[in-house]
Amino acid sequence: MATINTILRKKSNKQGLFPIAVRVTKDRKSTFLYTGQYLDPKFWDGTKQKVKKSHPNSARLNNLIAIKQAEANSILLDTAAKDGDHFSVQELKSQLTTTLSGHSFFEYAEKHFKQLKESKKLSRIDSERPLLNRIKDYMGGKSLSFDQITVPFLRGLQSYLRAVGTLGDRSIANVLMFIRTLYNRAIQEKLVKPEFYPFGSEKGKIKIKIPQSVKIGLTSEEISRIENLDLSVHAPQNHARNVWLFSFYLAGMRIADVLKIKWADIHEGRLFYQMSKNSKVISLKISDKLQNIIDQYADLDPGTNEYIFPELRGIDHNNADRMLRSTKNATLKFNKHLKKITVKAGISKKITMHIARHSFGNIAGDKIHPLMLQKLYRHSDLKTTINYQANFIHKEADEALDAVINF
């Protein structure tokens, strides 16, 4: 079996720097594939096959080395699976040279997912992994380098995704934004050249258009109907209603945050918590309605560090994967019960856990100043709040229509 290592070659250039190369050895014969980078030997760790941290660009160079080694190893495994051990080092070199001529987008994406996993951002992996899979489907098992990601390639990808027929415009835009994000990072790490960047607003580039989605929230009258339903003999539905209202009463708090609220987060009639999405810390008043829900779960000493709602109890909070899976399963369960609740309340709108956020926005309308809504929504940018709230502000448009047609 062939082996792959990264070394400094012995022949230096005129500046006294030595080339970093990937060495492939099989049957005691070696071939070298150059990375195009040179290094002073004092910065090279031969044991770890890495650039020492004392080098000013060590992170970028080590990223490049990791990607090159991963690409080479991938080709090596594919060749072995196809031809067994019956291939020469020269044949392998031919395939590696072709592959390594451009940085692999797929290998870079896997490195991105690895970093997300280390940061315990599993929900992002969960949402972005399908995007990568759609790009792989388009490539039909072929490799993809960054220099292949051109405007014609992206247009072809868009056409393919539309032809599949199962994806909406927003899902297609998400695929393009995923590519754009990784391409920008690769530019920052100097792995690809910015002059070949295919995205932008100028003519001939790909401009990603994010379609507006229809956001429909409940009215205050509809929410009152849900509040007043007698669900005493339907414990699962009552629990789903409580969790939904808990979210609504706190400006549409995300379900991932709702389920992580602990008794220890309540102090002197206020709730203090840190958002999962952006780690922002916020304090909100516990209203009488909210307190009524909390009291229904007071089966533990309020001073404990246990969760208020039962879905995540007993799970190690450091086990990010299990926390994510349990939250997703709980959301599916809640949405199932909410569907039954809407029927009982005589509401025709579709209700999910996320509609609690839309409902708060719908009732807030233009009654609350955008700066306060930005705080309640925990948005980093006021523009995000204004764009979101525009979905629920209809008064001026309605009055304008009435002014014309009511004659």
Side-chain angles (χ1 to χ4, degrees):
M1 186 66 183
T3 59
I4 297 174
N5 296 287
T6 304
I7 65 168
L8 283 188
R9 293 303 312 271
K10 295 181 179 179
K11 188 175 181 179
S12 66
N13 60 13
K14 293 181 180 180
Q15 288 74 39
L17 304 177
F18 294 78
I20 305 173
V22 176
R23 181 179 66 193
V24 181
T25 303
K26 185 177 185 293
D27 299 330
R28 298 184 180 181
K29 295 181 180 179
S30 296
T31 186
F32 299 89
L33 298 134
Y34 293 91
T35 63
Q37 300 296 319
Y38 290 78
L39 190 71
D40 188 320
K42 70 180 182 180
F43 294 115
W44 181 248
D45 187 330
T47 302
K48 295 182 179 179
Q49 299 179 42
K50 294 177 67 175
V51 178
K52 295 179 180 178
K53 291 183 179 180
S54 54
H55 190 283
N57 290 318
S58 61
R60 290 176 177 174
L61 289 172
N62 285 327
N63 282 336
L64 172 61
I65 291 170
I67 290 172
K68 293 287 188 181
Q69 286 182 324
E71 290 172 344
N73 190 56
S74 178
I75 293 298
L76 176 60
L77 292 174
D78 289 344
T79 303
K82 179 181 177 182
D83 302 323
D85 202 39
H86 306 292
F87 60 90
S88 68
V89 78
Q90 289 302 320
E91 291 172 337
L92 184 61
K93 179 180 179 180
S94 177
Q95 294 187 54
L96 286 168
T97 302
T98 301
T99 302
L100 293 175
S101 60
H103 295 291
S104 168
F105 175 83
F106 294 145
E107 293 291 346
Y108 191 80
E110 293 302 331
K111 174 192 165 188
H112 164 68
F113 288 138
K114 182 181 178 182
Q115 291 173 338
L116 288 178
K117 187 174 183 180
E118 291 171 350
S119 302
K120 296 184 178 181
K121 296 181 179 179
L122 301 186
S123 59
R124 276 196 62 185
I125 298 176
D126 218 45
S127 62
E128 291 181 354
R129 173 67 70 179
L131 306 180
L132 179 64
N133 290 339
R134 286 171 184 137
I135 302 168
K136 287 184 175 181
D137 290 341
Y138 175 61
M139 292 303 297
K142 297 178 182 178
S143 60
L144 176 65
S145 60
F146 276 99
D147 54 17
Q148 290 177 276
I149 302 176
T150 60
V151 170
F153 169 85
L154 293 171
R155 286 177 177 158
L157 175 61
Q158 284 178 296
S159 297
Y160 166 80
L161 294 175
R162 288 195 182 98
V164 171
T166 58
L167 298 180
D169 289 340
R170 178 59 201 236
S171 296
I172 294 173
N174 287 341
V175 174
L176 296 179
M177 287 190 290
F178 176 70
I179 295 174
R180 185 179 64 184
T181 296
L182 296 192
Y183 206 116
N184 282 327
R185 290 181 181 176
I187 289 175
Q188 291 174 354
E189 295 177 17
K190 299 190 182 301
L191 299 180
V192 294
K193 295 181 179 180
E195 54 261 37
F196 299 122
Y197 187 63
F199 299 98
S201 56
E202 59 266 35
K203 187 177 180 180
K205 299 283 188 176
I206 294 293
K207 183 178 180 180
I208 302 175
K209 297 180 180 179
I210 302 176
Q212 284 191 324
S213 58
V214 179
K215 294 179 173 63
I216 300 176
L218 301 189
T219 64
S220 55
E221 189 273 333
E222 288 169 329
I223 292 176
S224 292
R225 275 191 259 165
I226 291 176
E227 290 175 327
N228 295 325
L229 277 178
D230 182 5
L231 299 176
S232 56
V233 295
H234 300 282
Q237 291 179 27
N238 183 59
H239 176 53
R241 174 178 62 180
N242 285 343
V243 176
W244 192 90
L245 289 173
F246 189 98
S247 170
F248 170 74
Y249 295 152
L250 292 172
M253 180 189 288
R254 293 177 177 85
I255 181 62
D257 292 323
V258 170
L259 296 182
K260 290 178 183 175
I261 297 299
K262 299 179 179 180
W263 293 106
D265 296 328
I266 299 174
H267 302 280
E268 299 178 350
R270 300 191 67 80
L271 176 66
F272 298 82
Y273 80 100
Q274 186 175 51
M275 288 181 65
S276 300
K277 188 173 182 178
N278 55 20
S279 298
K280 285 190 172 184
V281 177
I282 192 167
S283 167
L284 295 173
K285 173 188 175 182
I286 296 178
S287 64
D288 292 340
K289 287 185 174 182
L290 191 65
Q291 187 64 54
N292 179 57
I293 291 176
I294 293 172
D295 289 343
Q296 295 179 48
Y297 297 85
D299 54 348
L300 295 173
D301 183 282
T304 66
N305 203 36
E306 187 58 275
Y307 299 110
I308 291 178
F309 296 113
E311 277 68 27
L312 301 182
R313 291 179 187 173
I315 300 176
D316 181 359
H317 71 276
N318 291 316
N319 189 337
D321 184 66
R322 191 177 171 195
M323 292 282 283
L324 174 64
R325 299 303 156 196
S326 296
T327 299
K328 290 186 70 174
N329 290 336
T331 303
L332 291 173
K333 177 185 67 176
F334 293 146
N335 289 342
K336 177 182 175 182
H337 292 307
L338 287 169
K339 186 175 181 180
K340 296 178 181 178
I341 290 171
T342 56
V343 174
K344 291 181 178 180
I347 298 172
S348 59
K349 297 173 183 174
K350 179 182 178 182
I351 302 181
T352 63
M353 284 304 305
H354 194 63
I355 297 300
R357 194 171 184 83
H358 295 343
S359 298
F360 186 89
N362 185 47
I363 296 172
D366 56 1
K367 302 174 185 175
I368 303 176
H369 194 281
L371 285 173
M372 180 53 63
L373 284 174
Q374 179 189 7
K375 181 178 180 180
L376 291 173
Y377 289 147
R378 284 76 72 189
H379 286 157
S380 298
D381 190 346
L382 179 60
K383 184 178 178 181
T384 303
T385 304
I386 294 172
N387 289 339
Y388 180 82
Q389 205 59 22
N391 293 280
F392 310 110
I393 298 176
H394 310 298
K395 182 180 178 182
E396 290 184 1
D398 293 346
E399 290 176 348
L401 282 174
D402 288 341
V404 175
I405 66 175
N406 290 339
F407 51 83

